[in-house]
Amino acid sequence: MYKVASASQYLVITGAGIDDIKLAKKSWIFPGQSYTVFDLSPVNYTFEVQAMSAEKLPFILPAVFTIGPRVDDKSSLLKYAKLLSSHDKLSNHVKELVQGIIEGETRVLAASMTMEQIFKGTKEFKKEVFEKVQLELNQFGLLIYNANVKQLVDVRGHEYFSYLGQKTQMEAANQAKVDVAEAKMKGETGAKLREGQTLQNAAKIDAETKIISTQRVGEGKKQEIKVNTEVKVYENEKEAEVALANSQLAKKKAGWAKEAKVAEVEANKAVALRDAELQKEVERMNAMTRTEKLKAEFLSKASVEYETKVQEANWDLYNKQKAAEAILYQKEKEAAARKATAEAELYARQQAADGEFYAKKKEAEGLVALGQAQGVYLRTLLEALKGDYAALRDYLMINSGMFQQIAKTNAEAVRGLQPKISIWTGADGSSGGTSSGAANSAMKDVAGVYKMLPPLFKTVEEQTGMLPPTWMGTLARDSAHSS
């Protein structure tokens, strides 16, 4: 199908062969494609926006906006075709969208302004509203073709604008009264002013006539004086002008009546005054010349002395600085040497301490290992003796030679004294039996050893209070004989 849109319409085509949408005034509609037609005519939207100023004062802003798609921008037409072309422009959806944007921007702008600013700057306020609303409508491809904001209206119970109008009327009436009074005052004052000016001008003309006549008389004398003193006056022209200005100011202060007399006196005394001033100037210049000459002489001498003193002071300062730097360098070297020596001693002490610590550590580790080994040894012996601590003690004493040590200690203790000797005999009263043969001799030796044990155990008991283990026998209290 071949479709053609009217002058105020556009075709929106989608489907096969079209990536997104296609806008056209006329086009072929191929199979697999669909189209819709949307109107570009703008529509009037009438609103009464209720807003509130920065002082929390409510008001109503009646407005009529003429809004439609933006036809001069292709991208805006694409936005409108995608977002709103499926809705009728007079539908509640589009109307609520536009109304929401207008009311929102108006309220935000009004909340940032006072009521006085809104009322006095109504034109700027409306322009600001239009710009902000248009900025929001751009994202929908809409354009404000025309906008008409009516007069701001009070909300019932908040008659701000009516009171403001009454205030303006009263101010205008009062201003009119003031203007009438000022006009009347100016008329009366003007009449009096004209009369006074007339009298003043007449007196001024009379005074000026007298002054001019007097000036004419003295002009000849001034010209004669000027010819004689022109060369000298030229050098001091500026001072003469200042003096002349001061004299003119004095004349005006003295009044028009005295001006003629002052001019005559000034003309008569001008020559003497000029001579005195020139003489004074010559003397001043001579004094200045002498002063400058003396100043130059003393200044040059003082400058030479100053430079000499400065050079001497600089040389002394340089020598002192070098001496101080040498002393400082020596002190720094000595401090560095002492520091190096201290660091070396500290390092040696640290190494010695580390070695001692390492030796102590190893010694402690050896003691720990020895203690652990002795613990294992004692546990093994205790297990072999089936937990008999007395047997373990006796074994350790025998194994370490404690009995022999005790005997040795006792022998040394009783050396030089009469010892007490205990003798044990057999049942027959003999010290031991005799026998022939090797067997009998061996048994005799064993018997001799066993005969020696009771006296030894008895001595140990007396000195330490410890008894021999049960497996070695017991001591009979009534079988011991001492002598």
Side-chain angles (χ1 to χ4, degrees), residues 210-211 214-215 251 255-265:
K210 293 180 181 180
I211 292 170
T214 305
Q215 287 178 348
K251 285 187 240 180
W256 297 107
K258 297 180 180 180
E259 187 174 1
K261 186 176 181 179
V262 171
E264 292 179 0
V265 173

Side-chain angles (χ1 to χ4, degrees), residues 310-326:
V310 168
Q311 293 297 330
E312 293 176 356
N314 290 337
W315 176 249
D316 293 339
L317 178 61
Y318 176 79
N319 292 332
K320 292 179 180 178
Q321 287 179 346
K322 289 301 180 180
E325 290 176 357

Side-chain angles (χ1 to χ4, degrees), residues 99-253:
Q99 183 177 1
I101 293 174
I102 295 173
E103 290 183 350
E105 295 299 329
T106 303
R107 287 170 182 163
V108 170
L109 182 60
S112 64
M113 301 174 65
T114 63
M115 190 65 81
E116 188 72 16
Q117 292 173 340
I118 295 172
F119 184 74
K120 290 185 177 180
T122 305
K123 184 176 180 180
E124 289 75 13
F125 176 72
K126 294 176 183 178
K127 181 180 178 182
E128 191 75 16
V129 171
F130 299 159
E131 291 177 353
K132 291 186 177 297
V133 171
Q134 181 60 62
L135 186 63
E136 294 296 326
L137 292 177
N138 286 338
Q139 58 186 332
F140 298 101
L142 295 173
L143 175 66
I144 300 176
Y145 286 91
N146 185 32
N148 182 19
V149 177
K150 301 179 183 179
Q151 185 64 37
L152 302 177
V153 180
D154 287 319
V155 177
R156 184 180 297 273
H158 300 275
E159 290 77 12
Y160 176 80
F161 293 115
S162 60
Y163 292 148
L164 194 60
Q166 294 177 13
K167 175 186 175 183
T168 304
Q169 292 176 1
M170 293 300 295
E171 288 178 352
N174 293 333
Q175 186 63 37
K177 293 179 181 179
V178 171
D179 293 341
V180 171
E182 285 183 354
K184 185 177 180 180
M185 179 190 68
K186 288 180 180 179
E188 295 177 355
T189 304
K192 295 293 184 181
L193 182 62
R194 292 299 181 186
E195 294 177 1
Q197 288 178 349
T198 301
L199 296 176
Q200 290 176 3
N201 290 334
K204 182 177 179 181
I205 291 171
D206 293 339
E208 288 178 350
T209 302
K210 293 180 181 180
I211 292 170
I212 290 172
S213 61
T214 305
Q215 287 178 348
R216 294 297 183 184
V217 173
E219 188 67 27
K221 295 180 180 181
K222 287 183 179 181
Q223 290 297 327
E224 184 179 357
I225 295 171
K226 182 177 180 182
V227 171
N228 296 328
T229 60
E230 186 173 2
V231 176
K232 295 181 181 180
V233 172
Y234 177 80
E235 296 177 355
N236 302 287
E237 187 177 2
K238 296 300 180 181
E239 289 81 357
E241 290 178 356
V242 172
L244 181 61
N246 292 332
S247 65
Q248 290 177 354
L249 179 61
K251 285 187 240 180
K252 291 181 180 180
K253 291 182 178 179

